[in-house]
Amino acid sequence: QTGIPCDPNDPNDYVSDTPQQRYPTWEECPNKGRDTCPNLPGNDPYTNVMDYALDSCIEEQPFTTGQLERMYYVWKLYREST
């Protein structure tokens, strides 16, 4: 996160479909449906590779659609022509 956790005005990772969470997942996988920011949409994205969770927590699709779109955009902007 970029600022204050669970703040609706925080840009988070600058990708609108990434749910905010109060703190990263440092250890074993939490129970499904953990929501440390209940005042904001979405559950904690601990199955997302952008969290610090163990690799065993990551699911088949480790990025949100918005994260994928942002990665492709940045890749095309800076690397595609090299």
Side-chain angles (χ1 to χ4, degrees):
Q1 295 209 339
T2 58
I4 301 168
C6 301
D7 179 354
N9 298 313
D10 183 16
N12 200 12
D13 64 355
Y14 298 98
V15 179
S16 63
D17 68 349
T18 306
Q20 287 194 36
Q21 64 188 70
R22 184 168 302 283
Y23 45 83
T25 306
W26 294 109
E27 62 279 332
E28 60 190 55
C29 305
N31 294 330
K32 289 224 182 254
R34 182 178 80 171
D35 188 4
T36 57
C37 292
N39 61 322
L40 297 174
N43 293 328
D44 291 2
Y46 64 87
T47 60
N48 188 298
V49 78
M50 302 304 280
D51 190 20
Y52 296 99
L54 300 172
D55 288 346
S56 60
C57 299
I58 298 171
E59 295 185 347
E60 285 184 29
Q61 176 54 293
F63 299 103
T64 67
T65 301
Q67 289 170 336
L68 287 170
E69 290 171 356
R70 186 176 174 115
M71 285 187 291
Y72 290 135
Y73 169 78
V74 172
W75 180 80
K76 290 181 102 171
L77 186 65
Y78 294 106
R79 304 296 270 171
E80 184 177 46
S81 63
T82 57

